Amino acid sequence: MIADTPDFSLASPAQPAAFAPAADRMEPSDHELMLAVRAGELRNLGDLFERHHRALYGFFVRLTHDRDASEDLVQMVFYRILKYRHTYRDEGKFSAWIYHLARKIAADHFHSRRGRATLPADAEESPWENLPDQAPAPDARATTADDLSLLDRAMGELSAEQRELLVLARFQGLSQEEIARLFDTTVGAVKVRVHRAFVALRDRYFRLRRTPLA
Amino acid sequence: MSCDSFQEDFLEYRANRLSPERTQALGEHLRTCLTCQRAWADFQELDRKLASVPTPEPSANLSRNFYAMLDTHLAAQREPGVFAPVRRGFARLWSEWMPVNPFAQAGAAAALVACGVLTTLWMQTRRERDADLAALRQQVDAVTRLVAYTALDRESAPDRVQAMLTTDTANSVGIAKLLSALSLDPNVNVRLSALDSLYAHAGDAAVQSGVLAALTREASPIVQVAMIDFLATARATEAQGQFETLARNPATNSTVRAAATSGLARLL
């Protein structure tokens, strides 16, 4: 039975702190901190790191399935922020800029991996395996390790772009406007592509769930 | 609106980013559309599965490595190199003034090209103007010389004296005019003025010969004395014979004879 209006009681996805509402917050915004870094006050980069490094790490892990490499890639993002801090523009949104850097670094990573004869052993590791023990959310108690494995397989069957779109929209919490800026396209196009990626994931997940394990 | 367009709103609605109008429209549609009700139920189930996916946590190495890198940069910033202020200033100018918009970049490039073209045109115009000025200056000099030469033929002695003093002796034509006046002008003052103007070329053998030739025809003692002094000063040895003639001739003016004698002594 569907409710008269959409159900707002759903558990909110874990959103990065950087994209949490800024109301009632006296702390400087990401943009203000980045302007200070650009002006030479490099210590402010530490605040930006604390706000974003976990979200960026999750982004890289979900894309690369490689935990060690993901830590290096996060480090590379902040190194490039330092190196290219003078290119940060006043009108730019920091979240869009940092994910722009992250996507380029991920692309470089995949490009360099293609040149290798073999992948490291942990490259095939699921990002959702061997995680620290965490109590599941109350509304997700029914989710089992098998479900997570099925989700992982379903995600693996998506195209790279669909996987990236889902990670950005669902896990990193970027708005459609921010994703449109990252992909240099319109909000309408992002809306359609994210929906198609979600439908593709749903179809693959339910198909895998109906298929008995070999 | 189609069912697809409503289902495309699920994720934004889930993130509380859907406008109130769209939220209301979505709710009304879900009350009546069985297809979208099933899609909404599937979405909710899958969304719950995704929400249960634990967020991966980085190791402590990440923070340690980051702060090590930051400390390295801070240390480098505290001990800047000689050119660090210049680099910082340039970087600040670059970041603040360089346009980031592609259209603005194209506009800036076009403006730069236009500046280059205008500068080239301006320099070309200036070169042409300088060439015109040089040509005009030559024409004025030519007119000045023409006026001077014309003045030599005037009847008025003061005008001819003035012409002698203003004659341009930088060329052979002017010198020839002066020598001509020295030999032929009937006025003593004009001849003396011509001789004065020739002093600048006293070392010229042709001038010395012209003055010597004029001396043989000169009748005025004052001009003769001036010519003898000119030739003696110029060390014109070819005048020695004429000086001896004047010094020995008893009919010669005594002052001229004395000057010729003195001139011979200076030549020898």
Side-chain angles (χ1 to χ4, degrees), chain B residues 4-68:
Chain B
D4 277 344
S5 62
F6 281 115
Q7 293 173 20
E8 288 164 5
D9 284 341
F10 285 173
L11 200 61
E12 285 297 276
Y13 164 73
R14 165 67 183 75
N16 288 340
R17 284 195 291 252
L18 201 60
S19 68
E21 296 79 17
R22 296 279 295 181
T23 301
Q24 184 180 356
L26 177 60
E28 290 173 357
H29 179 76
L30 283 175
R31 272 199 301 270
T32 58
C33 179
L34 290 175
T35 304
C36 287
Q37 286 176 9
R38 279 194 297 272
W40 173 241
D42 289 345
F43 174 86
Q44 285 182 303
E45 182 178 353
L46 187 60
D47 190 72
R48 275 194 294 271
K49 302 287 184 192
L50 291 173
S52 69
V53 174
T55 302
E57 278 290 325
S59 71
N61 288 337
L62 178 56
S63 291
R64 193 161 46 241
N65 292 337
F66 165 77
Y67 284 106

Side-chain angles (χ1 to χ4, degrees), chain A residues 2-8 10-15 38-43 45-46 49-50 53-54 57-58 61-62 67 71 74-75 78-79 82 86-89 91 127-128 131-132 134 139-140 142-143 147-148 151 169-171 173-177 191-192 194-195 198 201-202 205-206 209, chain B residues 4-5 7-18 22-23 26-28 30-31 36-63 65-67 69-71 73-74 77-78 87-88 91-92 94-101:
Chain A
I2 193 76
D4 285 348
T5 57
D7 181 13
F8 278 95
L10 277 175
S12 296
Q15 291 198 1
R38 192 184 74 180
E41 300 170 25
L42 302 187
R43 287 197 179 281
L45 189 66
F49 175 81
E50 294 301 335
H53 79 276
R54 287 182 183 81
Y57 179 72
V61 168
R62 288 173 178 121
R67 291 173 167 277
E71 290 193 353
V74 173
Q75 176 92 353
F78 285 95
Y79 172 75
L82 268 181
H86 300 299
T87 66
Y88 182 72
R89 309 300 302 187
E91 66 270 20
W128 302 327
L131 291 168
Q134 296 187 9
D139 55 355
T143 304
D147 285 331
L148 293 181
L151 269 179
R170 180 59 183 81
F171 292 102
L174 265 64
S175 69
Q176 291 174 342
E177 288 80 5
K191 192 174 178 180
V192 171
V194 169
H195 172 66
F198 204 90
L201 177 67
R202 180 196 66 190
Y205 170 73
F206 287 118
R209 200 166 68 168
Chain B
D4 277 344
S5 62
Q7 293 173 20
E8 288 164 5
D9 284 341
F10 285 173
L11 200 61
E12 285 297 276
Y13 164 73
R14 165 67 183 75
N16 288 340
R17 284 195 291 252
L18 201 60
R22 296 279 295 181
T23 301
L26 177 60
E28 290 173 357
L30 283 175
R31 272 199 301 270
C36 287
Q37 286 176 9
R38 279 194 297 272
W40 173 241
D42 289 345
F43 174 86
Q44 285 182 303
E45 182 178 353
L46 187 60
D47 190 72
R48 275 194 294 271
K49 302 287 184 192
L50 291 173
S52 69
V53 174
T55 302
E57 278 290 325
S59 71
N61 288 337
L62 178 56
S63 291
N65 292 337
F66 165 77
Y67 284 106
M69 177 192 73
L70 185 58
D71 287 343
H73 278 80
L74 287 170
Q77 194 182 40
R78 280 193 296 270
R87 280 201 303 271
R88 274 200 300 273
R92 186 170 292 113
W94 180 270
S95 63
E96 291 178 358
W97 290 100
M98 280 303 291
V100 68
N101 185 296

Side-chain angles (χ1 to χ4, degrees), chain A residues 15-200:
Chain A
Q15 291 198 1
F19 307 117
D24 302 330
R25 193 175 61 184
M26 297 302 292
E27 296 174 356
S29 66
D30 290 345
H31 180 62
E32 289 167 339
L33 286 172
M34 189 58 222
L35 289 181
V37 171
R38 192 184 74 180
E41 300 170 25
L42 302 187
R43 287 197 179 281
N44 290 281
L45 189 66
D47 293 335
L48 289 171
F49 175 81
E50 294 301 335
R51 291 183 185 183
H52 292 279
H53 79 276
R54 287 182 183 81
L56 282 172
Y57 179 72
F59 172 72
F60 284 125
V61 168
R62 288 173 178 121
L63 286 187
T64 65
H65 289 201
D66 187 336
R67 291 173 167 277
D68 291 337
S70 294
E71 290 193 353
D72 294 341
L73 297 179
V74 173
Q75 176 92 353
M76 181 61 70
V77 169
F78 285 95
Y79 172 75
R80 289 197 185 178
I81 289 176
L82 268 181
K83 186 177 179 182
Y84 300 114
R85 61 185 183 274
H86 300 299
T87 66
Y88 182 72
R89 309 300 302 187
D90 291 343
E91 66 270 20
K93 286 198 66 178
F94 180 75
S95 57
W97 189 58
I98 197 172
Y99 276 102
H100 171 72
L101 293 177
R103 290 187 70 226
K104 294 189 75 159
I105 289 168
D108 292 344
H109 170 78
F110 288 125
H111 182 74
S112 65
R113 282 294 179 93
R114 274 200 298 271
R116 295 188 185 178
T118 58
L119 291 174
D122 60 353
E124 300 299 329
E125 177 190 350
S126 164
W128 302 327
E129 291 174 357
N130 302 323
L131 291 168
D133 290 339
Q134 296 187 9
D139 55 355
R141 284 191 189 108
T143 304
T144 64
D146 288 344
D147 285 331
L148 293 181
S149 176
L150 290 178
L151 269 179
D152 183 39
R153 288 175 59 192
M155 285 286 280
E157 290 182 8
L158 300 180
S159 68
E161 184 190 89
Q162 285 180 323
R163 196 160 50 244
E164 187 177 14
L165 280 168
L166 276 182
V167 169
L168 289 171
R170 180 59 183 81
F171 292 102
Q172 307 307 117
L174 265 64
S175 69
Q176 291 174 342
E177 288 80 5
E178 289 168 327
I179 297 173
R181 188 180 299 183
L182 276 178
F183 282 75
D184 195 21
T185 185
T186 63
V187 172
V190 167
K191 192 174 178 180
V192 171
R193 285 153 73 179
V194 169
H195 172 66
R196 286 178 182 165
F198 204 90
V199 169

